[in-house]
Amino acid sequence: MSKDFICNGCNDKCVINMQWDDEDTFEISGNKCNDGIYYANEERKNNKDIFTTLVRIKGADCNVVPVKSSKTIDKKLWIDCSKALSMLYVGAPVKIGDIVCHNLLNTGVDILCTRNIDKAISYDKE
């Protein structure tokens, strides 16, 4: 099996290629430091990460607001999470840290707003 990903072990943001087989033998390439080896091994064992996406918003000057999960979510659930959140509309105003969805897909993870969005300014036409 093979996987390419961006390493977050240091500030270099290397593109790491990892190849492994069923016998737990694996080979890592593309890392510029030893942090990349550690990060790749953790990525192989732990297939979870913070989920980020956009949610639609009503009553604001923009159409969407960026959100993220409060905890890591298994990457196998990301498509289902996206589908569930695609049906959600958030009402303006929202602030950074506001919970826009509690307990997404019964995972115990909340979805948090990551940007302040004010209500749209309405101009009266005369």
Side-chain angles (χ1 to χ4, degrees):
M1 185 175 260
S2 179
K3 181 177 181 178
D4 292 324
F5 57 92
I6 296 173
C7 176
N8 291 322
C10 67
N11 290 330
D12 287 339
K13 305 295 182 215
C14 306
V15 176
I16 293 183
N17 175 272
M18 182 171 51
Q19 297 181 359
W20 69 94
D21 58 20
D22 292 336
E23 298 172 10
D24 254 1
T25 305
F26 65 97
E27 184 177 316
I28 298 168
S29 60
N31 61 304
K32 295 181 184 174
C33 66
N34 288 335
D35 290 343
I37 296 170
Y38 174 78
Y39 187 84
N41 195 25
E42 289 299 309
E43 182 76 15
R44 184 176 61 88
K45 286 190 246 176
N46 182 10
N47 204 20
K48 291 184 173 186
D49 207 349
I50 296 292
F51 175 70
T52 61
T53 190
L54 299 171
V55 172
R56 291 181 282 189
I57 189 166
K58 287 185 178 181
D61 290 330
C62 56
N63 296 326
V64 292
V65 61
V67 295
K68 70 174 188 173
S69 61
S70 60
K71 300 180 209 170
T72 58
I73 297 178
D74 192 330
K75 291 181 181 177
K76 292 176 186 174
L77 294 175
W78 283 15
I79 292 174
D80 293 330
C81 291
S82 294
K83 288 178 183 177
L85 292 173
S86 71
M87 296 181 262
L88 180 68
Y89 277 91
V90 177
V94 291
K95 303 232 181 289
I96 294 173
D98 284 355
I99 297 173
V100 299
C101 180
H102 287 283
N103 194 17
L104 179 65
L105 299 177
N106 293 323
T107 58
V109 177
D110 296 331
I111 300 298
L112 308 173
C113 180
T114 60
R115 182 173 171 207
N116 293 327
I117 305 286
D118 294 323
K119 280 189 173 185
I121 300 171
S122 61
Y123 296 100
D124 293 332
K125 295 182 181 180
E126 294 181 25

